[in-house]
Amino acid sequence: MNTEKPSRRPTVFVTGASQGIGAGIAVEMARQGYDVAVSSTRPEKLSPVLEQIAAAGARALPVELQIRDQSSIERAMAAVTAEFGGLDVLVNNAAVALRKAALDFTPQEWADIMETNLTGTFFMSQAMGRHLIATKRAGSIISITSTHGMVGMAQRSAYGIAKAGVIHMARMLAIEWAEHGILVNTVAPGAVITESRNAMPTDPNHAKVRMARIPLKKLCTVDDVAAAVAYLASPQASYITGQTLVLDGGVTSQ
């Protein structure tokens, strides 16, 4: 009789995972052997991704999360760590965007973006850092940022500023938590095609100009982002921290 205990499956929590990039990451991590917790402000929207996670042979846990609410963050992390017996990887994907001229932003619109994209990401990361340090386990925090946080673009000011903050946040936390074996990195996609949004403009002339700017002459996909996250969470990336993996077909290299 084999008396060895079965090895524990690694666990991941993907925020903002009801659709698009978050859902794609969640399903790919399930395929990589992780049990997966997924969150949404409306948990009923998680049913499709939960089914895909289960179909990949993984355990799926739905969680309600209002990322701008500290008590909600604490409840979500407590629920995930209690159900899974611990957490190995956090993927900060929850975010909001608003395309608007800088001159027209209201204080409330600015606050909405900063509180979700920057402040929420920080306090989710803080909660994960506290969990990993308290349980003396190494782990990984991966935040989805954007090339808007690296280069300037009109009508993307608040979003880009918040994402730039997330990129630098990863550098700061990577240094502070390195002694605990916690890796902190970001993935920065350019334009991404999702099931609800074709990132290419409908105007053929505009589309032609935009594609001409991309050296690889193709757009990023959800699968590209999910593969990047899976790599950064893997043992093969165990010496990478404080870095940003850019997925833009070469645009920011020009």
Side-chain angles (χ1 to χ4, degrees), residues 99 113 140 169 193 217:
R99 181 172 182 171
I113 289 177
S140 179
M169 183 194 305
I193 299 172
K217 298 296 182 286

Side-chain angles (χ1 to χ4, degrees), residues 87-90 128 132 137-141 180-184:
L87 188 59
D88 299 298
V89 180
L90 170 67
M128 180 62 167
L132 293 173
R137 69 169 73 198
S140 179
I141 300 170
H180 301 288
I182 301 171
L183 307 179
V184 189

Side-chain angles (χ1 to χ4, degrees), residues 39-60:
S39 77
S40 174
T41 57
R42 296 171 56 192
E44 66 273 13
K45 296 176 64 178
L46 292 168
S47 295
V49 71
L50 293 172
E51 292 175 1
Q52 293 179 72
I53 292 168
R59 189 174 173 189

Side-chain angles (χ1 to χ4, degrees), residues 11-40:
T11 56
V12 60
F13 183 9
V14 184
T15 68
S18 62
Q19 62 182 351
I21 291 173
I25 292 169
V27 174
E28 177 60 24
M29 294 300 280
R31 291 171 180 157
Q32 294 295 324
Y34 287 76
D35 286 335
V36 186
V38 287
S39 77
S40 174

Side-chain angles (χ1 to χ4, degrees), residues 52-235:
Q52 293 179 72
I53 292 168
R59 189 174 173 189
L61 177 66
V63 180
E64 180 178 358
L65 173 63
Q66 306 289 341
I67 200 168
R68 294 169 58 186
D69 182 340
Q70 182 65 26
S71 61
S72 181
I73 289 173
E74 292 171 0
R75 287 194 302 272
M77 285 295 293
V80 173
T81 54
E83 183 68 21
F84 285 163
L87 188 59
D88 299 298
V89 180
L90 170 67
V91 180
N92 288 309
N93 176 69
V96 295
L98 178 60
R99 181 172 182 171
K100 194 170 188 178
L103 292 176
D104 297 331
F105 258 92
T106 67
Q108 187 58 57
E109 289 169 338
W110 173 272
D112 289 344
I113 289 177
M114 292 300 162
E115 289 174 14
T116 301
N117 298 3
L118 186 58
T119 305
T121 296
F122 175 81
F123 284 106
M124 280 299 304
S125 300
Q126 181 193 69
M128 180 62 167
R130 286 174 171 171
H131 166 68
L132 293 173
I133 292 168
T135 56
K136 293 182 170 57
R137 69 169 73 198
S140 179
I141 300 170
I142 303 163
S143 298
I144 307 303
T145 58
S146 169
T147 53
H148 291 319
M150 305 174 68
V151 296
M153 181 173 285
Q155 298 189 332
R156 299 290 197 279
S157 57
Y159 180 78
I161 291 166
K163 290 300 188 179
V166 173
I167 290 170
H168 197 56
M169 183 194 305
R171 300 186 187 109
M172 303 297 279
L173 298 182
I175 297 301
E176 190 164 334
W177 294 342
E179 65 179 292
H180 301 288
I182 301 171
L183 307 179
V184 189
N185 293 291
T186 70
V187 174
V192 181
I193 299 172
T194 70
E195 69 270 19
S196 61
R197 178 174 66 91
N198 186 334
M200 186 57 67
T202 54
D203 182 315
N205 291 326
H206 188 184
K208 184 177 180 180
V209 170
R210 185 166 186 177
M211 188 62 76
R213 294 181 59 244
I214 304 175
L216 287 183
K217 298 296 182 286
K218 61 180 181 179
L219 296 175
C220 185
T221 69
V222 168
D223 288 345
D224 293 327
V225 182
V229 170
Y231 167 67
L232 287 175
S234 73

